[in-house]
Amino acid sequence: MVHLGDIVPDFTAQSTQGEVNFHKLIDGKWTMFFSHPSDFTPVCSSELGTAAKLQPEFSQRGVKLVALSCNDVDSHLQWLKDLEGSMSGGRKIEYPIVADPDRSIATKFGMLDADEKDKEGRAFAARAVFIIGPDKRMKLSILYPSSTGRSFPEILRVIDSLQLAAKGPVATPADWQPGEEVMIAPSVSDEDAKRMFPDYRVIQFASGKAYVRKTKVPQA
Ligand code: BEZ
């Protein structure tokens, strides 16, 4: 199991783009590593198609996509034809799909769902969304079961939040959307907050404590 803040495990594996070494592939880049239970399945196909359609959004954020599915590379290459033919809005799938037929990578990353089994009784990989920072550390982890396709607007939203927080001592509130105010991190003293965010405002509470400090999004 990989926890937030851990350096993610390395592996070398076959993919639709040839052999990949994960650490080399993601070195210095924001990465979304997302897993799939199986090739030629409906929900997985919709997700890989959606990821391809949203490739410009990920590229704009400097996020490299790396998919994984628990079949071999020959199966992936056959599936790719279906995906590019009918699921990706005519776009090429620019990201590699890593082969993991023995689930060794899924096991290393803690992607398996013990409650969801294939016909052979082996645990399916969940629909993991791992956002990994340029330092190869796990920044965000969401696990969906095989029955629930991922929310890509939410994935883009959390990437925006993570990238903002990486730039400055701010955090984003519940349901935050890009362009809305952010909150100054609790670790920042009022003195530093005034210097860093001169226009910040404080929400008044019955307790008199000034712990919600809102500010416009800091410019890069
Ligand atoms: C699917 O992608 O549709 C799927 C895969 C495995 C189990 C259930 C659904």
Side-chain angles (χ1 to χ4, degrees), residues 36-47 79 116-117 124-125 127 145-148:
H36 302 269
S38 188
D39 295 0
F40 300 103
T41 50
V43 178
C44 298
S45 302
S46 72
E47 293 183 309
W79 190 29
E116 294 275 352
K117 303 263 168 57
F124 269 136
R127 303 183 188 284
S146 60
S147 54
T148 305

Side-chain angles (χ1 to χ4, degrees), residues 60-106:
Q60 199 187 315
R61 291 161 174 82
V63 175
K64 182 167 187 59
L65 300 184
V66 183
L68 172 145
S69 183
C70 294
N71 298 92
D72 63 29
V73 77
D74 291 336
S75 167
H76 286 359
L77 289 168
Q78 291 305 315
W79 190 29
L80 200 57
K81 291 182 204 159
D82 285 357
L83 299 173
E84 289 183 342
S86 307
M87 298 304 281
S88 63
R91 293 189 68 91
K92 282 261 161 226
I93 294 199
E94 292 174 19
Y95 54 82
I97 308 175
V98 170
D100 190 25
D102 64 0
R103 292 156 162 76
S104 56
I105 302 168

Side-chain angles (χ1 to χ4, degrees), residues 5-58:
D6 287 350
I7 300 266
V8 297
D10 194 14
F11 62 83
T12 297
Q14 294 303 316
S15 84
T16 48
Q17 297 180 0
E19 186 175 280
V20 290
N21 173 261
F22 193 57
H23 274 193
K24 271 199 199 129
L25 193 66
I26 69 170
D27 190 33
K29 302 178 188 90
W30 285 91
T31 301
M32 177 169 96
F33 187 36
F34 59 127
S35 64
H36 302 269
S38 188
D39 295 0
F40 300 103
T41 50
V43 178
C44 298
S45 302
S46 72
E47 293 183 309
L48 288 173
T50 300
K53 286 181 200 161
L54 291 173
Q55 182 69 59
E57 294 287 336
F58 288 104

Side-chain angles (χ1 to χ4, degrees), residues 1-2 9 70 100 102-112 125:
M1 187 75 193
V2 189
C70 294
D100 190 25
D102 64 0
R103 292 156 162 76
S104 56
I105 302 168
T107 304
K108 247 189 208 177
F109 276 78
M111 291 166 164
L112 295 183

Side-chain angles (χ1 to χ4, degrees), residues 98-214:
V98 170
D100 190 25
D102 64 0
R103 292 156 162 76
S104 56
I105 302 168
T107 304
K108 247 189 208 177
F109 276 78
M111 291 166 164
L112 295 183
D113 181 347
D115 202 25
E116 294 275 352
K117 303 263 168 57
D118 65 12
K119 285 183 207 131
E120 287 82 39
R122 296 177 304 174
F124 269 136
R127 303 183 188 284
V129 180
F130 292 153
I131 308 294
I132 301 163
D135 55 2
K136 300 191 188 75
R137 290 189 186 276
M138 185 73 87
K139 304 296 180 190
L140 175 131
S141 158
I142 312 176
L143 292 177
Y144 295 73
S146 60
S147 54
T148 305
R150 283 162 267 227
S151 165
F152 280 81
E154 171 62 2
I155 292 171
L156 292 172
R157 191 192 77 91
V158 294
I159 289 171
D160 287 337
S161 170
L162 290 169
Q163 292 187 335
L164 256 186
K167 277 194 219 141
V170 295
T172 59
D175 297 332
W176 173 84
Q177 292 294 334
E180 293 177 0
E181 280 183 315
V182 298
M183 291 167 160
I184 300 172
S187 55
V188 181
S189 68
D190 285 342
E191 201 178 31
D192 285 343
K194 276 180 205 137
R195 189 173 45 76
M196 298 166 96
F197 311 103
D199 297 329
Y200 85 83
R201 64 194 183 95
V202 179
I203 305 301
Q204 303 298 326
F205 289 115
S207 68
K209 296 183 198 292
Y211 55 93
V212 175
R213 298 169 296 175
K214 292 190 166 185

